[in-house]
């Protein structure tokens, strides 16, 4: 019998079960919430800048394995980047760091990235 394709790998599951940078910042420079209207899952991403560098980042919210896993992975990717570098991150960059989950679930992956893009567009 053929194995079903996996929606997420063990690394993503680990991030879902033990998310990095989950919580709230005391004094964020930016705080943006994105919601997936299809399921109601919601992620809030908060950033603190030092100059033009992202010095602190946290996320909070609820969602599926892919949306929470993506948020955890994304926060690790962006900390220490400049605003310009973080603005250039793409969905493909995030997907590549998640073991390439199926295309039909990309809206789950993009929730936190959309919040990041919205936050940085206010800078
Ligand atoms: Fe809601 Fe994934 S099922 S964001």
């Amino acid at each position: 019998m053929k194995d079903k394709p996996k929606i997420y790998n063990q690394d993503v599951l680990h991030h879902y079960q033990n998310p990095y940078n989950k919580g709230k910042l005391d004094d964020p420079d930016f705080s943006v919430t994105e919601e997936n209207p299809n399921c109601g899952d919601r992620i809030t991403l908060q950033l603190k800048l030092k100059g033009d560098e992202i010095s602190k980042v946290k996320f909070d919210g609820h969602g599926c394995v892919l949306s929470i896993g993506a948020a955890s992975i994304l926060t690790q990717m962006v900390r220490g980047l400049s605003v310009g570098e973080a603005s250039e991150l793409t969905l493909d960059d995030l997907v590549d760091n998640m073991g390439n989950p199926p295309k039909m679930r990309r809206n789950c992956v993009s929730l936190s990235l959309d919040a990041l893009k919205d936050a940085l567009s206010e800078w």
Side-chain angles (χ1 to χ4, degrees):
M1 196 168 128
K2 200 173 172 188
D3 286 340
K4 270 175 72 174
K6 290 203 165 132
I7 293 175
Y8 49 81
N9 63 24
Q10 284 299 313
D11 188 43
V12 173
L13 183 61
H14 170 78
H15 277 273
Y16 172 74
Q17 292 173 330
N18 308 281
Y20 292 81
N21 304 308
K22 191 160 192 294
K24 292 182 176 141
L25 293 176
D26 290 335
D27 55 348
D29 292 315
F30 300 102
S31 182
V32 174
T33 299
E34 290 286 338
E35 183 175 324
N36 183 339
N38 297 319
C39 61
D41 289 352
R42 177 188 287 240
I43 299 280
T44 298
L45 190 77
Q46 296 184 317
L47 302 172
K48 182 74 181 169
L49 300 183
K50 194 172 185 182
D52 82 332
E53 178 189 307
I54 298 172
S55 60
K56 294 181 186 171
V57 54
K58 291 241 183 208
F59 82 96
D60 208 358
H62 60 88
C64 63
V65 172
L66 285 174
S67 62
I68 298 298
S72 175
I73 290 167
L74 182 68
T75 58
Q76 288 196 302
M77 291 170 67
V78 301
R79 192 168 48 195
L81 294 183
S82 69
V83 170
E85 290 167 335
S87 299
E88 289 175 6
L89 286 176
T90 66
L91 185 57
D92 283 345
D93 295 327
L94 184 53
V95 160
D96 284 350
N97 277 287
M98 297 181 65
N100 210 13
K103 282 192 171 28
M104 66 183 196
R105 298 293 299 274
R106 296 290 157 90
N107 58 342
C108 304
V109 174
S110 69
L111 209 52
S112 53
L113 184 63
D114 291 345
L116 175 71
K117 299 289 180 178
D118 282 359
L120 296 180
S121 72
E122 295 174 17
W123 190 66

